[in-house]
Amino acid sequence: MTSRAFAAAMVALFAAVALLFSAMPETMAQQVTPTASSVQEDELLRALQTGENVSGRVSIPDRQAGELIKPDNKGWADLSQGTLQTFAVGILVVALIGLALFYFIRGRIALEGGFSGRSILRFGWFERLAHWMLASTFIVLALTGLNLVIGRAVILPIVGENAFGTLSSWGKIAHNYLAWPFMISLAIVFVLWIVHNIPGRIDLEWIKQGGGFMKKGVHPPAKKFNAGQKIVFWCVVLGGAAMSYTGVMLLFPHLAGTGADWQFYQVVHAVVAGLLSAVILGHIYIGTLGMEGAFDAMGKGEVDENWAEQHHSLWAREVKSAAVSPAKSDEAIAPAE
Amino acid sequence: MARMKFLCDADRCIECNACVTACKNEHEVPWGINRRRVVTINDGLPGERSVSMACMHCTDAPCAAVCPVNCFYTTDDGVVLHSKETCIGCGYCFYACPFGAPQYPRVSNFGTRGKMDKCTYCSGGPEADMTQAEYIQYGTNRLAEGKLPLCAEMCSTKALLAGDGDIIADIYRERVVTRGYGSGAWGWRTAYGETIQA
Ligand code: HEM
Ligand code: SF4
Ligand code: SF4
């Protein structure tokens, strides 16, 4: 390059730079009008849809920390502390009052004609093991869960902060670990009893007669499980599955997805817990206090023949005819008469 | 009594993260936990702003409302503190907090994550003030020493303000009037149900 060409190039360059600088102040002034261009918190909040957060970039490894403001979290806090608490207490109180009224009005459903002294095998040891595993884990799960909802209002004032903290942390551990045997026994019970719980035409008749609960001496026919028991079965299976699914999501938040998803599962978990507990209270009542002779079915595994005929007439007939001609069936062997 | 609050003037914050570092060092905050963080909104776009955020010490704190063991308490200064002795690490407060303040020392399922940790407004916990026991669990107690939170004290641009809510609101309002703009008192509406009108 000649020196003249070089000088010309330099002049051109300086001219260009000078031009750039002279143009600068105008564009700069436009860009730095902070009122026009700064992000406004109010605007960002206003633009949020439900479930959305004000978020940005963080330079720390925890990406979640980029969520700056999550206004909806307050809504969940109100819901879980207010409505859900009222719901849980409400449904349990209603269930208990209902059962108490039923007991005082209808009384214990007696075994008509008393015990015959002959018994029929109703549930084998494996069925009873599965049932009691499900029942005991359910009760612990329900109580430790309920503790999270109302323990603070009910138990804390009585035992004090330290004892309540210890109690609740044990409760939390119990809830987390007993969930697994609960799920296992739920699956076993489902497989064992689904054949007896397919809804059929005779269930309509049973329901029409109110299960015979309302009047003495009325006993609609039923197979191994009557319509009421089938309802309990499906409530436990479907409700238990819902509890298991939402519970696992609560336990492993990364499976649940966003915070809003976790909150949704928590609400479902709490609502289904309330409903299912009410159903189970009814189930416990009728299996113990409410009906003479019923507890033996799950206790000893054997029921009195009269009880079987009154409450499960078709099943009783089936079992007995199988016992008369044992060759036809490999079902449980009934004692010789 | 003063009602202590934080205020981040995003139009001053230069995202230097000194507040984040100061906090971690002052309280020897465990690995993986940042009691304070700086979030940059509209990163790289015109109007980008950075906001330093920690626990806002809310009025009617949602974390306190949902805690199943009631381990939160509000001090006379309006600071929201909690007892690690009672905390069961259930995670509820994390889902109730609008600012992502509660954090846990371990990443696993709730129940084995350990005790919740969050900003204490440099004022310790339920243990006796300025004791070793308090320091180990919650960090230093600068308020008891008559000092304000370190993050705000050492902010080089004075973007982050800590102190009585009315006083810092006045400072911010004056700034907005003088310079003619302000992107807002970040988090105030959500935490205190009010914002600062210039
Ligand atoms: C089947 C597997 C289950 C799993 C994995 C599970 C797990 C959980 C988890 C992780 C929580 C969140 C609270 C906490 O961190 O402790 C929770 C809460 C709760 N669970 Fe479960 N659970 C299960 C079954 C049940 C059952 C059968 C009940 C009985 C009714 C129940 C009742 C509750 C209740 C009432 C709460 C409190 C909800 C609230 O805070 O509003 N859970 N469960
Ligand atoms: S910012 Fe979060 S942790 Fe702090 S008081 Fe408010 S809800 Fe509680
Ligand atoms: S993690 Fe601790 S402080 Fe937070 S709600 Fe649960 S028990 Fe309370």
Side-chain angles (χ1 to χ4, degrees), chain B residues 55-58 61-63 80 97-99 101-102 118:
Chain B
C55 170
M56 289 290 279
H57 303 277
C58 303
C63 55
V80 178
C97 174
F99 303 104
K118 74 169 189 68

Side-chain angles (χ1 to χ4, degrees), chain A residues 76 148 168-169 172 176 250-251 253 262 266, chain B residues 63 66-72 86-95 104 108-116:
Chain A
W76 173 77
L148 290 180
S168 300
S169 64
K172 170 96 187 86
N176 285 2
L250 295 180
L251 211 48
W262 191 94
Q266 190 271 346
Chain B
C63 55
V66 298
C67 176
V69 295
N70 201 20
C71 71
F72 291 90
T86 341
C87 171
I88 58 170
C90 70
Y92 277 25
C93 54
F94 170 77
Y95 288 100
Y104 303 84
S108 62
N109 57 337
F110 286 117
T112 46
R113 288 195 166 194
K115 311 281 186 183
M116 187 273 277

